[in-house]
Amino acid sequence: MVTVTPSGAALGARVSDLDLNRLDDAMFAAVEAALHRHGVIALSDQHIDEDVLVAFSRRFGKLEINVTSAFQHPKHPELLILSNRTRDGKAVGLADAGQGWHADNSYNRLPGRASILYALEVPVRDGQVLGDTLFADMRVAYKALPDDVKQRIEGRLAVHDFAKFYDDMIKNKGSKRPPLTDTQRAARPPVQHPLVMRHPYTGDTCLYADPGYTTRILGLPEAESDQLLEFLFAHETRDAFIYRHKWRLHDILIWDNCSTIHMATGGYRPDEPRHMMRTQVQVDAARMQ
Ligand code: OGA
Ligand code: MN
């Protein structure tokens, strides 16, 4: 029987006594229920190949193919390699994914439902695992908003733009990513989503604005939009809403991109390898009406 152990923080749980090589419908239902309840879950001690990871991911919905298209797995374009390893002097994966608060794929018309990240190598120094990932709960953050702010954001749409995060990584974080091409930009025009999202699977009310991609609240003067976003970004990343994931080797971490935002903390060196594979699941279009 699958065991679910809550983290004790606002969100997060660890799921054990489960082998994804032998997953039946009842076990999948237990995993999905744990994800909906806890926002982010770590499946312990998984030993699976790429085919199983992709097949498992597909059970949640349609998979995203990353727009920057570097570092896709040769056999499965839906699998992205996150890694600071090099081969023959060349990067084998994206080395600086997610180093700033964001919700994956909020820049798509169909936002991200979930992301699945499989840890094949985790950096360890002096017995301490490095490269934690932080998660913040957007259901709890919404509930904790002052009433007047809830009123100001109710029914409003916000703009999400893929280029915001990507350009910021190059401009302000020293990333060596190549600049986005015009074709890549054109493939991801800005989109709009409700600031107060009814979760497409659980019906929970979530604050849906993330510092990585959200650029503008529609219907407000620009200065007011900037100020309100600033307030929301500071509010939603308060300590009380955060779970810090300390990776274990062979964790498969699954997070809900409608009810959480996340951030990689980095802090490991190039000679301390971190190597992971990721899939991203889209929200089912039929649930977006
Ligand atoms: C991601 C991401 C965080 C990490 O893969 O979307 O943000 O810690 N990763 O690797
Ligand atoms: Mn991410």
Side-chain angles (χ1 to χ4, degrees):
M1 202 41 218
V2 172
T3 308
V4 181
T5 311
S7 72
L11 71 168
R14 187 166 275 284
V15 177
S16 44
D17 303 319
L18 171 75
D19 177 357
L20 289 187
N21 289 305
R22 286 174 202 80
L23 183 75
D24 62 25
D25 288 348
M27 290 174 200
F28 179 74
V31 169
E32 194 176 35
L35 176 66
H36 287 158
R37 174 147 184 202
H38 299 285
V40 50
I41 56 175
L43 313 186
S44 295
D45 203 23
Q46 298 300 315
H47 297 268
I48 60 170
D49 64 21
E50 291 88 342
D51 296 351
V52 173
L53 181 59
V54 170
F56 169 66
S57 303
R58 285 218 172 98
R59 295 186 75 141
F60 290 91
K62 275 203 190 131
L63 302 186
E64 179 75 14
I65 296 186
N66 197 268
V67 58
T68 46
S69 60
F71 309 126
Q72 290 168 353
H73 189 277
K75 190 165 155 209
H76 295 288
E78 308 89 340
L79 269 186
L80 190 77
I81 311 297
L82 268 56
S83 183
N84 62 347
R85 277 198 172 281
T86 55
R87 192 179 303 125
D88 305 325
K90 280 219 207 110
V92 304
L94 186 60
D96 57 10
Q99 300 194 357
W101 285 105
H102 65 286
D104 289 347
N105 304 121
S106 78
Y107 50 79
N108 286 341
R109 198 181 55 76
L110 283 178
R113 176 189 184 186
S115 299
I116 302 174
L117 188 56
Y118 183 22
L120 297 169
E121 279 184 292
V122 295
V124 180
R125 190 190 302 164
D126 303 329
Q128 292 284 333
V129 174
L130 305 171
D132 301 350
T133 310
L134 304 181
F135 291 85
D137 193 313
M138 294 303 102
R139 298 169 294 188
V140 181
Y142 176 78
K143 282 204 193 85
L145 283 171
D147 284 341
D148 65 304
V149 176
K150 282 185 183 158
Q151 277 162 24
R152 282 172 76 198
I153 64 176
E154 188 58 44
R156 291 223 175 264
L157 293 169
V159 177
H160 298 248
D161 188 349
F162 174 74
K164 181 185 181 190
F165 196 113
Y166 198 101
D167 293 345
D168 183 68
M169 284 298 295
I170 297 171
K171 215 168 116 202
N172 300 320
K173 302 231 168 81
S175 177
K176 296 193 176 57
R177 301 171 177 201
L180 287 175
T181 63
D182 289 346
T183 313
Q184 287 169 332
R185 280 180 205 278
R188 286 291 181 277
V191 299
Q192 304 171 7
H193 297 296
L195 254 182
V196 180
M197 184 191 266
R198 291 240 135 227
H199 193 288
Y201 293 81
T202 64
D204 291 337
T205 306
C206 306
L207 177 58
Y208 198 65
D210 65 279
Y213 298 117
T214 311
T215 54
R216 185 81 157 85
I217 301 172
L218 293 177
L220 298 181
E222 190 172 347
E224 195 181 335
S225 162
D226 287 351
Q227 250 178 13
L228 187 49
L229 282 178
E230 196 97 328
F231 172 84
L232 293 173
F233 296 159
H235 168 86
E236 69 192 8
T237 51
R238 276 160 43 177
D239 286 351
F241 311 148
I242 290 177
Y243 161 66
R244 171 178 281 266
H245 184 64
K246 294 215 159 277
W247 287 89
R248 296 184 194 167
L249 190 61
H250 299 130
D251 271 353
I252 290 184
L253 199 65
I254 312 174
W255 62 87
D256 184 316
N257 283 304
C258 297
S259 71
T260 72
I261 59 173
H262 62 281
M263 173 172 90
T265 60
Y268 46 88
R269 295 186 308 250
D271 63 333
E272 295 170 319
R274 188 182 198 257
H275 191 86
M276 303 192 171
M277 287 194 296
R278 185 187 74 187
T279 59
Q280 294 178 319
V281 187
Q282 302 169 355
V283 168
D284 180 358
R287 290 183 179 268
M288 288 301 288
Q289 262 84 74

